[in-house]
Amino acid sequence: TNTTGRNKITKSGMLREGTFVTKSSEVPAGVTRQEVKGMLELRNTTRARHSIDLTVNEADLATPSNGPATSGGAWQRVLRRDIPVDPDDFQSYGK
C-alpha cells in the first residue's frame, strides 16, 4: 500500500473487505518497489511502499472478478471480511 493506505490501516487496525492480497512467496526477496508494482499490477505510482505479512483463513478469501492471478501470473485474492492487523508488522520500502 502507499503511505495514505498505511495510515488508514494503522488507524482502523484492519485490512478492509475487498482488499486485494497475495502470497508473500509471490514477491521474491530483494525486488524493488518498481518490480513489485509490475508483478502485482499496481497502477498507483505510490503503491508498494508498505506491506504487511499476515495469515488469513482460506474461508476469508475470494477470487476477484478479474481472476485468480494477475496477467503476469501472480496469485491474487480479495478479502471477504475485515481482517485485524497489527500495524507494528508493516514493512516499508524506499522513499
Side-chain angles (χ1 to χ4, degrees), residues 33-93:
R33 275 189 24 215
Q34 289 299 97
E35 290 169 322
V36 170
K37 286 168 33 178
M39 287 185 292
L40 301 181
E41 298 177 342
L42 303 174
R43 284 181 243 137
N44 184 317
T45 58
T46 63
R47 296 254 169 108
R49 187 165 305 237
H50 307 280
S51 70
I52 192 165
D53 285 339
L54 64 145
T55 300
V56 177
N57 292 322
E58 200 170 320
D60 293 328
L61 299 171
T63 300
S65 60
N66 64 336
T70 66
S71 62
W75 184 95
Q76 65 178 0
R77 297 294 184 273
V78 293
L79 298 178
R80 291 181 185 263
R81 67 177 184 89
D82 294 353
I83 302 292
V85 298
D86 181 349
D88 291 335
D89 289 342
F90 268 108
Q91 301 294 314
S92 297
Y93 307 98

